[in-house]
Amino acid sequence: MGLEEDGLAGITGDRLADERRIEGDLSESIRPGGALWALASAGPQLRESAALAADAGLGALAEEGRPRAVVVAGVGTAARTGDILATVAGPRCPVPILGHRSAGVPGWVGAADVVIAVSASGRSPEALAAAEAAARRGARLVAIGAPDSELQAVAERARASFVAVPRRAPARLSLWALAVPVLLAARELGLVNLVEADIAETARRLDEDAERCRPDADAYVNPAKELAMNLAGSIPVIWGSSPLAGVAARRFGDMLAANSRYPVVSGELGEVGRGRVGLLDGVFGSLAEGQTDIFADPEDDELTRLRIVLMRDDGLDGDDTGPKPDTRRADAVADLASRRGVRCDVLPAEGGCSLERLASLIAVPDFASVYLALAHGLDPMRVPAVSEMKDAALGSD
């Protein structure tokens, strides 16, 4: 039965990745509104959102002093902004930061707390419900989303700060546009030490990585294309060596699932040592590698194998804002993978502040997820299952 007869019209793609697809004409993805265009605009996104946040009156948040807790409400990419805030604030943040991924707010939220409701579309049921609940309970509210949206209307009724972020791409391709207002709201509350130079350097880093990952750069000089083809046909296992790198690892897992339609295992190395490292000895790890015939044609090899991506953050010399990342687990995982013949790519964090280091671990993998989709003949901007799920759930971010 064909796809159309099965009710699956619109699903395209090829099970086998072909590198020629990402060395050819990619004009559809680099045009305004395309996936590669959206990722290449990450630096401008960051700068624009910083300017929009500066004009949104976030300074009023500081008038009531430090909150008891901060709740970042949203789903999908909006929820990742809470993870970014928590890792940039670091372990010495004076108040708890909670990501809330369901409707409403936790029962303990009240007038002493701050709720940041995030929705790229401005119509996510979870963010709307959180904003309304925060207003009812007298919590300080910040809303971030599309202009002239339902979320803006809720914020205006509550006389709360609203940062209007133009929606030019799907939420997952607009991470920095959504994350920067969250960080700047937290800065006004005294929770993060984020100076203008940090924002400028992070934007510059994103610009430089976009240049390195440009579509007309061949795979041998384009780190995103190289990473995409390394992952092709594998089961990606993405591990971060620190809390910061763990956020980047989970972000890469999100992007591989949504753009490339790959099943992914992702997380922080602190979790790996509690059982997941056993994947290296499993049927897709050393047991698959043990079946390798060195004389066989690689194209005839149908065994699916793990591919480890180790996001490594060794911290900054002289940084005493938190404990130094433990590098022993990262060393051990790389060694274990090597001894079992499991392929492993190591991506090191670079930069002079936590935000820039995080960006350095996110930018290239973001591009890689799109190139991997294109290598399979998939349209990363059109995911029928996601659209159908949203329709079935009456619309969400």
Side-chain angles (χ1 to χ4, degrees), residues 100-349:
H100 188 68
R101 290 169 164 82
S102 56
V105 293
W108 48 262
V109 169
D113 306 304
V114 169
V115 173
I116 305 177
V118 186
S119 168
S121 67
R123 61 174 186 272
S124 161
E126 292 83 2
L128 288 170
E132 291 167 348
R136 285 195 307 271
R137 298 187 190 187
R140 279 177 280 175
L141 171 65
V142 179
I144 300 163
D148 302 317
S149 62
E150 297 170 64
L151 186 58
Q152 180 172 3
V154 172
E156 288 175 349
R157 288 197 298 270
R159 299 182 179 179
S161 298
F162 180 76
V163 183
V165 178
R167 191 176 193 193
R168 301 187 176 97
R172 66 183 179 277
L173 303 177
S174 306
L175 174 68
W176 299 106
L178 297 174
V180 170
V182 173
L183 293 170
L184 293 180
R187 185 177 71 177
E188 294 296 336
L189 294 166
L191 306 183
V192 296
N193 181 23
L194 187 66
V195 299
E196 298 307 317
D198 294 338
I199 296 173
E201 286 301 302
T202 301
R204 181 191 58 78
R205 168 78 57 179
L206 292 170
D207 291 340
E208 291 177 353
D209 283 339
E211 175 64 19
R212 295 167 62 212
C213 299
R214 67 188 189 277
D216 61 353
D218 294 332
Y220 63 88
V221 294
N222 185 324
K225 288 183 179 180
E226 180 182 23
L227 179 57
M229 296 314 299
N230 285 349
L231 292 174
S234 72
I235 299 175
V237 178
I238 321 295
W239 285 330
S241 69
S242 71
L244 182 148
V247 172
R250 287 186 282 271
R251 160 69 176 181
F252 194 17
D254 293 343
M255 293 291 274
L256 284 171
N259 295 331
S260 317
R261 282 65 132 179
Y262 268 51
V264 184
V265 177
S266 64
E268 189 181 331
L269 277 183
E271 303 166 327
V272 171
R274 303 298 186 268
R276 294 186 188 178
V277 75
L279 291 169
L280 296 174
D281 290 333
V283 295
F284 301 108
S286 59
L287 296 183
E289 298 299 341
Q291 298 297 314
T292 300
D293 181 352
I294 62 173
F295 300 106
D297 185 340
E299 294 185 1
D300 295 333
D301 184 356
E302 296 184 356
L303 286 175
T304 301
R305 296 180 171 84
L306 300 181
R307 183 85 188 205
I308 308 297
V309 177
L310 182 58
M311 293 187 164
R312 182 153 187 158
D313 171 32
D314 293 347
L316 288 172
D317 291 336
D319 183 5
D320 60 357
T321 60
K324 187 81 172 173
D326 186 349
T327 61
R328 291 173 297 179
R329 283 195 180 97
D331 293 338
V333 166
D335 179 63
L336 288 169
S338 175
R339 287 195 282 116
R340 285 158 173 76
V342 177
R343 282 75 166 175
C344 179
D345 296 281
V346 179
L347 306 183

